[in-house]
Amino acid sequence: MDILEDEHLEMAASQPLTAHPIDMSNFSHLFSPLQVGELHLAHRVVLAPLTRLRSTQPGDVPNALNATYYGQRASRGGLLISEATQISLQGKGYPAAPGIHSPEQVEGWKLVTQAVHEKKAYIFLQLWHVGRISHSSLHPDEGLPVSASAIAPANGQLAFTADFKHAPFETPRALGIEELPGIVADYRRAAENAKAAGFDGVEIHGANGYLLDQFLEDKTNHRTDIYGSSIENRARLLLEVVDATIEVWGKGRVGVRLSPYGTFSDMGDSNPVELFNYVLEQLSQRGVAYAHLVEPRVGSAGNGDPIDDSRPRTSHIFRNAFDGVLISAGGYTADTAEETIADGYADTIAFGRLFIANPDLSERFRINAELNTPDRSTFYGGTDKGYIDYPSLVEVQS
Ligand code: FNR
């Protein structure tokens, strides 16, 4: 940890905690209702966005298998956030990741939203442009991946190719300033398509080193135009996307995911506190439904198992910067989720890997039941194995 991070932690520690003696056997905070924008949640166990690479090929079209998966994870009054979904072919970075830019994809997503709504749950679509975390084999007509600046990730991570193999990252092409209105227009069209597909809202993926994060953070943004250099300039593209999606959906149905201090995909910023305080203040002013922070303590943004508790706690550092519902994600158990909400550091918690393995996660938490263990080997790609075959409690007991 460097001195800068130490200072931020000290700052966080000096902020007052709400005194809440809690009974760990009773998750009363996790199971209390919450208003999130225009949604009335019955509980606070949110499905985190999880890429599973199982859309129908060609065309990146969601299908009946995907609908079964989401339907299994839906519970009355719960909120699901979809896997990251590309807004354009250029925004695709992984084989078989779904899109929301073609009529077939809109029809495919309708199966998913119907399955979720049948269970009386809500689902937001996570809107995604991967930027440099891509490979030209995934979009041969689009050429090289694009980014804020022509800088390739350098931390040894590999790109996924169209045939599910790995390859070194190509150096991306820096987007010209004249291309950026087109990117915003792609987000707007994707937001409109999400509406046509029956979603309840959209989450803008500004986290984990993808395009909008590549513009935000100064390790990847070396631009000298009005989209680079100052914090206001680096946040411009994200905020233009937020404004465009609010125009489509209204502020109460737009959320934004961010990952301050995240290092996945070779990310970093020289002053995360100032940068993300500014972004969160701007989001507060816009009154978005929620801000969603990924804790950097999870290895590789969830792709690694270890939890590093020496990393900064972003829900602590940034809680006061955002004047609205805060979702926190990353390495939570029911106990730590309950404690975090009780202490006022977040309003609700998103669970990733535990939800992969436990379709009825909220029910298991509620009655303190044993949990299934996630199988990492089936996270990405494949069919129903490790996707829709984790047993629910009802199945275990029958
Ligand atoms: C992820 N994560 C992720 N994040 C995101 O914003 N969009 C995505 O599509 C994905 N995809 C994804 C796939 C898989 C298989 C994993 C494990 C993770 C990150 C995820 O939402 C979450 O932040 C992390 O998994 C940490 O939370 P847990 O798993 O510790 O509860």
Side-chain angles (χ1 to χ4, degrees):
M1 176 180 304
D2 65 25
I3 291 169
L4 199 70
E5 287 180 2
D6 255 332
E7 273 171 17
H8 301 150
L9 287 183
E10 243 171 62
M11 220 175 66
S14 68
Q15 290 172 0
L17 281 176
T18 323
H20 273 291
I22 62 163
D23 172 7
M24 285 313 213
S25 65
N26 171 11
F27 301 120
S28 60
H29 292 86
L30 211 43
F31 289 97
S32 62
L34 179 70
Q35 184 77 23
V36 179
E38 291 178 22
L39 314 184
H40 311 281
L41 301 194
H43 63 76
R44 301 172 186 217
V45 182
V46 172
L47 172 69
L50 293 162
T51 291
R52 306 301 307 275
L53 308 184
R54 283 167 166 88
S55 70
T56 298
Q57 299 305 305
D60 308 328
V61 179
N63 53 43
L65 182 69
N66 307 147
T68 301
Y69 164 82
Y70 283 104
Q72 287 175 338
R73 282 154 186 80
S75 62
R76 179 176 279 271
L79 172 63
L80 313 185
I81 303 166
S82 82
E83 65 209 270
T85 298
Q86 56 258 3
I87 57 159
S88 62
L89 203 51
Q90 185 197 61
K92 176 176 175 178
Y94 299 82
I100 187 73
H101 51 88
S102 78
E104 295 76 21
Q105 292 161 354
V106 171
E107 289 309 304
W109 278 118
K110 283 183 184 169
L111 303 175
V112 172
T113 57
Q114 278 159 12
V116 171
H117 291 155
E118 269 166 28
K119 302 281 252 336
K120 308 275 182 247
Y122 301 105
I123 181 164
F124 270 38
L125 180 70
Q126 194 186 46
L127 298 179
W128 198 25
H129 189 309
V130 296
R132 68 180 188 165
I133 305 302
S134 185
H135 191 267
S136 48
S137 64
L138 293 163
H139 38 66
D141 295 341
E142 307 278 333
L144 283 174
V146 296
S147 186
S149 300
I151 304 167
N155 64 351
Q157 203 182 313
L158 291 168
F160 252 119
T161 63
D163 52 0
F164 272 93
K165 299 219 165 70
H166 285 298
F169 278 110
E170 300 149 310
T171 300
R173 178 176 68 78
L175 281 163
I177 194 166
E178 72 290 350
E179 294 177 272
L180 298 181
I183 301 276
V184 177
D186 286 344
Y187 274 98
R188 181 192 298 273
R189 188 190 49 177
E192 286 163 356
N193 286 347
K195 215 169 199 183
F199 283 94
D200 298 293
V202 291
E203 176 176 285
I204 294 162
H205 196 345
N208 297 346
Y210 297 108
L211 183 71
L212 296 174
D213 203 14
Q214 290 158 30
F215 271 79
L216 282 179
E217 302 199 38
D218 57 15
K219 188 165 184 182
T220 41
N221 185 340
H222 293 188
R223 299 176 76 95
T224 52
D225 59 15
I226 57 161
Y227 290 88
S229 187
S230 70
I231 283 174
E232 289 78 2
N233 283 352
R234 285 184 275 128
R236 191 179 307 280
L237 185 62
L238 170 74
L239 295 174
E240 286 178 355
V241 167
V242 171
D243 289 340
T245 47
I246 287 176
E247 276 171 31
V248 175
W249 275 98
K251 63 185 180 179
R253 290 180 182 269
V254 173
V256 180
R257 196 171 215 219
L258 302 167
S259 53
Y261 291 96
T263 51
F264 180 61
S265 293
D266 196 23
M267 291 305 293
D269 190 79
S270 58
N271 193 343
V273 165
E274 215 179 303
L275 170 63
F276 287 99
N277 270 338
Y278 173 76
V279 172
L280 288 164
E281 277 156 19
Q282 289 293 312
L283 296 178
S284 303
Q285 279 175 24
R286 285 162 172 81
V288 294
Y290 64 82
H292 186 175
L293 298 185
V294 186
E295 289 295 347
R297 64 182 177 182
V298 284
S300 304
N303 290 321
D305 285 323
I307 301 291
D308 179 359
D309 271 322
S310 68
R311 303 277 290 136
R313 286 300 296 275
T314 54
S315 55
H316 295 200
I317 296 170
F318 296 104
R319 181 64 188 107
N320 294 337
F322 185 65
D323 182 17
V325 168
L326 187 75
I327 306 181
S328 181
Y332 283 100
T333 62
D335 287 346
T336 58
E338 174 70 13
E339 192 180 2
T340 299
I341 299 172
D343 288 345
Y345 286 131
D347 299 296
T348 171
I349 304 294
F351 297 87
R353 290 161 291 183
L354 290 183
F355 235 134
I356 287 178
N358 296 277
D360 50 354
L361 187 66
S362 61
E363 183 56 15
R364 285 179 190 248
F365 281 169
R366 201 178 59 76
I367 62 172
N368 237 327
E370 210 174 306
L371 300 178
N372 303 320
T373 308
D375 171 10
R376 181 166 293 283
S377 73
T378 50
F379 278 4
Y380 299 108
T383 54
D384 55 347
K385 188 171 178 303
Y387 190 53
I388 59 163
D389 60 352
Y390 286 105
S392 66
L393 281 174
V394 176
E395 285 158 334
V396 171
Q397 282 152 9
S398 61

